[in-house]
Amino acid sequence: MSTSAEERTRPAPRAQEGPGSWAREQLGALKELLDKPLTTYYLIIMCSALLLALGLMMVLSASSIEALQLTGSPFSWFIKQSLSAALGVPLMYVCSRLPVKFFRWAGYPLMALSFLALIMVLFIGSSELGAQRWIYIGDFTIQPSEPAKLGLVLWGADLLARRARQGRIEWRQLLIPLMPGTAILAVMVMLGRDLGTTLVLFMIFLALLWVVGAPVKLFGGILALAVLAAVIMIRVEPYRMDRIGAFLDPWADAQGAGYQAVQGQIAMGSGGWFGLGLGSSRQKWSWLPHGESDFIFAILGEELGLAGTLMVVALFGLLGYAGLRVAVRVNDPFIRLSAAAMVAWIVGQATVNMGAVLGVLPITGIPLPLVSYGGSALLPTLAALGMLLSFAKREPGAREALAARGPGAVARGLSWLGLGGMTRGRMTR
């Protein structure tokens, strides 16, 4: 029997699709999105921008009452944080345009300046809350331990990358001078009674060890030394012993050593699913100490609820994924080492901060990256993220995809000002 042309060209009926077919389609679409060369680049930009915007919003809300009491204006600390962001965003953009050679060189002077500043803070620094970590220059405050984190990332990554042999790095090469250099930096920070930053430096060092492929015995020895140093630091400072006791049972001394932890848990618990509303925190009315810095995550949970806190966790998770994606997809040893170390720094510090607020980790007094108040922490973090953007451009196919995209907003603005030739010259190099 012959069939008509219409019947021959008619598509065969598709089988009825179930939930499994829809899930496969969605997974395929997600895989296609992740395979694109600029996925990492845009993930870094998106997560950084959202966390920074959320941070500015929360600093304004969390600091307004105390700023009004101390300065007469509820916007005082918000304006300072905004100025830091106004400096940090261009710094991030500049770092995203710099070559890898610059970052390999920059680690050495940055480490030297960090050592010098940490020595200065021991003599001319101000001591607050049991830690001596700030240098006051007029209305500006500098915390030298913050740029020291970036310095350790760059310096340590370059030291190990220079010892690379056929794409592999011998872990024995890290003993001198990386381990002594890290130890000296950590000791100087500990002399300033800053246990939280010492922990972050230790996480950076462990990340470098992990990428190098150090044996388990070396990890065990270093962890044992770190635990011993932490125990000594806790024993010699009574306030740290109080913090450990408050961590184990904050409600046993809710008006004393456990006060901050208890108030933070009250803030988180009262937020519910969707929070009390932006600006509606009760704990910021002089109940929760340092709500704009160390415990801003508690104010965020109170005002934006579980939904807001999960969004922050997801953004840091995506940022960590993007950093590790760069480390995996780029073959340069320096980029692999520095990208992994930056993830350990930024995501590790965020985890410690949020864990302290939730009561699952002891309070260490370190800020939540990009969100907490403090220009000394914000500027190095944005510089590191700009560097990660520069590395993301070296993923397979990323440069071609950027070139096909055409000039960006900055290049178009320069062209409108009659300076487009500078941008075209840089693009054709």
Side-chain angles (χ1 to χ4, degrees):
M1 180 182 293
S2 62
T3 57
S4 65
E6 181 180 355
E7 290 174 341
R8 287 195 301 271
T9 58
R10 183 183 303 161
R14 298 175 62 183
Q16 187 174 4
E17 297 181 355
S21 177
W22 178 86
R24 285 192 296 271
E25 287 182 4
Q26 299 304 312
L27 288 174
L30 178 61
K31 185 178 183 299
E32 183 181 354
L33 177 64
L34 293 178
D35 286 339
K36 291 184 177 181
L38 291 180
T39 296
T40 307
Y41 184 81
Y42 289 124
L43 270 178
I44 297 168
I45 292 177
M46 178 195 72
C47 295
S48 303
L50 289 175
L51 285 170
L52 182 60
L54 181 64
L56 290 173
M57 181 175 66
M58 293 310 305
V59 166
L60 174 60
S61 176
S63 67
S64 57
I65 304 303
E66 190 171 354
L68 180 63
Q69 294 173 344
L70 296 178
T71 68
S73 171
F75 304 103
S76 297
W77 293 346
F78 169 73
I79 291 173
K80 289 184 179 180
Q81 188 72 356
S82 299
L83 290 175
S84 298
L87 293 174
V89 171
L91 177 63
M92 179 179 176
Y93 173 77
V94 170
C95 289
S96 72
R97 310 284 290 183
L98 293 173
V100 176
K101 287 183 179 179
F102 174 84
F103 297 114
R104 298 189 69 159
W105 167 86
Y108 296 86
L110 189 55
M111 276 291 284
L113 290 173
S114 298
F115 278 122
L116 180 61
L118 287 170
I119 292 173
M120 291 176 60
V121 80
L122 295 176
F123 294 97
I124 64 173
S126 297
S127 179
E128 296 179 17
L129 303 173
Q132 189 166 340
R133 57 179 91 161
W134 297 275
I135 297 176
Y136 286 90
I137 304 175
D139 293 333
F140 297 96
T141 306
I142 300 174
Q143 189 173 347
S145 59
E146 292 296 336
K149 300 171 187 175
L150 180 58
L152 180 60
V153 167
L154 299 178
W155 179 71
D158 186 64
L159 279 178
L160 296 179
R162 289 181 184 276
R163 291 166 169 79
R165 294 294 182 268
Q166 297 179 350
R168 298 185 64 186
I169 303 171
E170 294 293 335
W171 65 266
R172 296 175 183 84
Q173 301 284 349
L174 63 85
L175 295 177
I176 296 175
L178 179 59
M179 187 176 291
T182 305
I184 294 172
L185 193 67
V187 167
M188 294 176 68
V189 173
M190 285 192 292
L191 289 175
R193 302 175 182 177
D194 189 354
L195 183 59
T197 300
T198 307
L199 176 62
V200 175
L201 294 174
F202 182 65
M203 288 191 290
I204 293 172
F205 181 64
L206 285 184
L208 293 172
L209 286 181
W210 181 264
V211 177
V212 167
V216 177
K217 289 182 179 179
L218 183 62
F219 269 101
I222 292 174
L223 285 172
L225 288 174
V227 171
L228 178 62
V231 170
I232 293 173
M233 288 187 67
I234 291 170
R235 294 291 298 177
V236 299
E237 293 290 349
Y239 79 94
R240 291 198 183 105
M241 288 296 297
D242 293 339
R243 283 187 176 182
I244 296 297
F247 162 66
L248 296 174
D249 187 6
W251 294 89
D253 189 11
Q255 296 299 318
Y259 180 80
Q260 188 178 29
V262 166
Q263 296 302 322
Q265 292 178 22
I266 291 174
M268 294 292 290
S270 61
W273 288 97
F274 301 104
L276 302 177
L278 187 62
S280 301
S281 167
R282 304 186 187 104
Q283 296 300 108
K284 69 182 181 183
W285 290 80
S286 301
W287 288 102
L288 178 62
H290 308 290
E292 76 288 345
S293 54
D294 303 346
F295 267 65
I296 198 167
F297 190 66
I299 302 296
L300 188 148
E302 185 182 15
E303 295 189 350
L304 303 182
L306 180 64
T309 57
L310 290 180
M311 180 180 69
V312 172
V313 171
L315 288 173
F316 278 112
L318 286 172
L319 197 57
Y321 165 76
L324 294 178
R325 179 183 165 99
V326 170
V328 170
R329 289 168 64 91
V330 180
N331 293 325
D332 187 301
F334 172 77
I335 291 179
R336 273 193 291 123
L337 286 160
S338 53
M342 275 191 288
V343 169
W345 161 22
I346 296 174
V347 179
Q349 180 170 321
T351 303
V352 172
N353 177 277
M354 293 185 288
V357 172
L358 293 172
V360 297
L361 292 173
I363 297 173
T364 56
I366 56 176
L368 185 61
L370 297 173
V371 181
S372 292
Y373 172 78
S376 293
L378 182 62
L379 292 177
T381 304
L382 288 174
L385 291 170
M387 181 171 64
L388 202 58
L389 282 175
S390 177
F391 295 163
K393 295 178 185 178
R394 286 154 179 81
E395 287 190 17
R399 287 190 178 277
E400 293 78 4
L402 283 171
R405 188 187 62 173
V410 175
R412 291 194 298 270
L414 291 173
S415 178
W416 183 75
L417 293 172
L419 302 174
M422 297 170 55
T423 306
R424 285 194 299 271
R426 185 166 54 238
M427 291 176 63
T428 56
R429 262 181 247 167

